[in-house]
């Protein structure tokens, strides 16, 4: 049965609520892309006719991917995923003779936060930009952290734990105004969770670089995109593929699949899909709020379930007296898949994003993330709520 159609309640995908960690693969797209790539199995960097044909296929996929980002083909570089696409612009500052300041938001994904902190050992000053209690980083907050030695600013577009949408356009405009007539720091945006959830026209703003990953929009793992407004001097070197930005034999299958997923899941229908999901998510939040032990994070979201400052595809909630990992296991035993936060930091007890929001220790430890996708149905969300309610009732006895 194609995954694009609505699954029956007995289907495992019907009880999958961890889309922010990875999306259920679109089998049709993956099979079609694999079949196509078998015709272009040669190395795209080879000079023979087979290699040239593979290069043509790769470049055609690049053009189509670029269109989805409002960019030109020469702005798009294929990587191994979102983590590498975050690392490349950040590590490029190691080529600079001076050792200035790196700023990144307090809600960043570990791939940005952990890498930035490592650069302290290379002589850089590293500071976090604070967020407000709703997990939103304002342009003013960024402005207050800027200085003459700031070289790099990183703010993600949509937070992977709370779904908070960041004012990326406002931040970009503020940077232009603040540094008018002076050298401006590079502005990098992690768009991994934003892809397919909010419109992304990177050419409209002064964004220097951005990261995206295919497996968040039902594509394969192992393929990402790095958008670069202008060329950079990469720190890591190799065979010179991807115009020297990202060396390594190109993943033609991944590029073909990414292009098709962008067309299907990140096209012009985003607004329509968001409106439909907003209705489902607002009802889910309202129902969760009827459980006495439940706290929606941030609490303001419970007061306004349809809040355009948040992606309707992610909900964070905490349940008094039930540690997050216990709720996860209890739901897992009934076939429901959720998470306690970023999958990339699931083995760590700390919750830096919630801590940055000023969320108390107990709420942090008891919080879980529900995330939805294109095949999530109203019936499935109702079934999830009923099971959560049942578990909460068992713990309140």
């Amino acid at each position: 049965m194609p995954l694009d159609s609505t699954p029956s309640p007995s289907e495992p995908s019907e009880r999958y609520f961890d889309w922010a960690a990875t999306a259920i693969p679109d089998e049709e797209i993956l099979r079609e892309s694999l079949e196509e790539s078998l015709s272009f199995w040669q190395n795209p960097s080879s000079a023979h006719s087979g290699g040239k044909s593979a290069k043509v296929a790769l470049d055609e996929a690049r053009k189509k991917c670029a269109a989805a980002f409002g960019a030109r083909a020469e702005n798009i570089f294929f990587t191994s995923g979102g983590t590498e696409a975050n690392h490349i612009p950040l590590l490029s500052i190691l080529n600079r003779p001076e050792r200035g300041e790196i700023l990144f938001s307090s809600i960043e994904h570990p791939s940005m936060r952990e890498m930035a902190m490592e650069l302290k050992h290379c002589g850089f000053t590293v500071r976090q930009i604070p967020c407000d209690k709703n997990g939103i980083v304002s342009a003013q907050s960024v402005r207050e952290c800027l200085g003459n030695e700031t070289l790099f600013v990183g703010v993600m577009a949509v937070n992977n734990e709370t779904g908070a949408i960041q004012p990326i356009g406002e931040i970009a405009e503020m940077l232009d105004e603040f540094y008018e007539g002076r050298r401006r720091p590079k502005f990098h945006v992690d768009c991994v969770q934003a892809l397919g959830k909010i419109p992304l026209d990177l050419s409209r703003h002064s964004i220097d670089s951005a990261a995206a990953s295919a497996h968040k929009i039902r594509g394969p793992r192992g393929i990402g995109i790095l958008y670069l407004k202008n060329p950079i001097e990469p720190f890591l070197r190799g065979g010179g593929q991807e115009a020297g930005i990202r060396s390594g034999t190109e993943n033609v299958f991944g590029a073909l699949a990414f292009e098709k997923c962008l067309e299907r899941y990140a096209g012009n229908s985003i607004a329509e899909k968001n409106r439909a999901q907003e209705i489902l998510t607002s009802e889910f939040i309202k129902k969760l709020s009827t459980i006495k032990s439940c706290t929606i994070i941030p609490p303001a979201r419970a007061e306004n379930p349809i809040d355009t400052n948040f992606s309707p595809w992610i909900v964070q909630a905490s349940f008094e007296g039930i540690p997050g990992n216990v709720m996860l296991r209890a739901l897992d035993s009934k076939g429901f898949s959720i998470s306690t936060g970023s999958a990339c930091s699931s083995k760590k007890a700390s919750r830096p994003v919630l801590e940055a929001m000023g969320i108390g220790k107990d709420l942090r430890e008891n919080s879980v993330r529900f995330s939805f996708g294109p095949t999530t149905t109203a019936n499935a969300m109702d079934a999830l709520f009923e099971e959560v309610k049942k578990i909460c009732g068992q713990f309140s006895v």
Side-chain angles (χ1 to χ4, degrees):
M1 168 178 157
L3 289 177
D4 279 328
S5 58
T6 302
S8 67
S10 61
E11 289 287 331
S13 60
E14 183 76 349
R15 296 192 171 194
Y16 185 71
F17 296 95
D18 199 19
W19 288 77
T22 197
I24 298 174
D26 186 312
E27 293 184 12
E28 180 186 351
I29 285 179
L30 265 61
R31 288 196 180 100
E32 182 183 334
S33 301
L34 180 59
E35 193 75 28
E36 190 177 345
S37 69
L38 290 175
S39 301
F40 305 110
W41 55 266
Q42 296 95 330
N43 191 319
S45 296
S46 295
H48 49 66
S49 58
K52 289 178 180 177
S53 295
K55 182 70 162 57
V56 169
L58 183 70
D59 286 345
E60 187 61 29
R62 191 189 313 278
K63 288 178 186 176
K64 293 179 180 178
C65 287
F69 290 95
R72 301 187 305 273
E74 55 265 35
N75 299 127
I76 299 298
F77 302 89
F78 292 113
T79 68
S80 64
T83 292
E84 187 180 33
N86 277 333
H87 286 179
I88 291 172
L90 180 58
L91 292 177
S92 71
I93 67 173
L94 288 168
N95 290 317
R96 295 194 178 196
E98 73 272 32
R99 288 294 184 262
E101 181 180 62
I102 298 168
L103 298 178
F104 65 93
S105 81
S106 56
I107 60 164
E108 291 301 300
H109 186 271
S111 64
M112 176 59 67
R113 182 178 64 247
E114 300 296 330
M115 191 73 259
M117 295 305 290
E118 281 298 310
L119 292 185
K120 276 186 175 182
H121 304 303
C122 299
F124 292 92
T125 301
V126 180
R127 288 199 297 145
Q128 293 191 47
I129 306 162
C131 66
D132 65 17
K133 63 182 181 180
N134 293 320
I136 294 174
V137 178
S138 68
Q140 183 60 31
S141 292
V142 178
R143 186 186 185 104
E144 291 171 359
C145 293
L146 297 172
N148 292 328
E149 295 186 353
T150 305
L151 300 175
F152 183 95
V153 176
V155 181
M156 69 189 336
V158 174
N159 183 258
N160 53 297
E161 294 192 37
T162 66
I165 299 172
Q166 307 306 313
I168 297 304
E170 293 176 21
I171 294 171
E173 290 174 10
M174 180 276 297
L175 288 170
D176 284 342
E177 293 172 5
F178 188 86
Y179 287 97
E180 187 175 5
R182 296 180 291 162
R183 186 181 67 177
R184 177 181 170 282
K186 298 296 183 183
F187 181 35
H188 176 75
V189 180
D190 179 344
C191 293
V192 170
Q193 284 296 338
L195 201 59
K197 297 180 175 69
I198 62 173
L200 288 175
D201 185 349
L202 300 179
S203 64
R204 290 179 57 236
H205 306 299
S206 297
I207 295 171
D208 295 292
S209 56
S213 183
H215 78 98
K216 302 296 188 181
I217 56 168
R218 309 195 69 184
R221 295 167 194 165
I223 183 74
I225 280 177
L226 169 64
Y227 162 85
L228 288 176
K229 182 180 180 182
N230 297 303
I232 62 173
E233 192 69 24
F235 178 71
L236 299 176
R237 307 300 178 105
Q241 292 90 342
E242 294 298 299
I245 297 297
R246 196 274 178 182
S247 293
T249 304
E250 301 92 336
N251 181 353
V252 177
F253 157 68
L256 293 171
F258 205 162
E259 167 252 307
K260 291 178 175 63
C261 286
L262 281 168
E263 184 178 6
R264 181 171 295 182
Y265 299 108
N268 297 326
S269 61
I270 286 180
E272 182 183 339
K273 290 176 181 176
N274 276 351
R275 282 192 294 271
Q277 186 60 38
E278 279 172 359
I279 295 170
L280 296 180
T281 300
S282 65
E283 286 302 311
F284 182 67
I285 290 175
K286 288 175 186 176
K287 288 178 180 178
L288 285 180
S289 298
T290 65
I291 301 174
K292 287 185 178 180
S293 62
C294 177
T295 299
I296 302 297
I297 298 177
R301 199 172 181 191
E303 299 167 13
N304 182 16
I306 299 183
D307 189 335
T308 55
N309 289 315
F310 294 90
S311 164
W313 304 94
I314 296 174
V315 172
Q316 182 89 201
S318 183
F319 299 89
E320 185 180 359
I322 310 177
N325 58 354
V326 173
M327 177 63 80
L328 185 155
R329 290 199 298 270
L331 285 171
D332 189 46
S333 69
K334 300 297 182 179
F336 292 91
S337 300
I338 65 165
S339 72
T340 55
S342 169
C344 296
S345 58
S346 61
K347 295 180 181 179
K348 299 178 182 178
S350 63
R351 298 293 298 274
V353 172
L354 302 187
E355 191 172 352
M357 293 167 61
I359 303 298
K361 186 173 183 289
D362 288 342
L363 283 178
R364 294 200 307 267
E365 291 181 350
N366 296 344
S367 67
V368 294
R369 178 184 69 186
F370 306 105
S371 52
F372 320 111
T375 66
T376 304
T377 65
N379 287 340
M381 293 176 73
D382 286 344
L384 172 63
F385 165 71
E386 292 298 334
E387 194 59 46
V388 169
K389 183 179 178 181
K390 188 184 299 182
I391 292 167
C392 290
Q394 292 170 346
F395 274 82
S396 64
V397 175

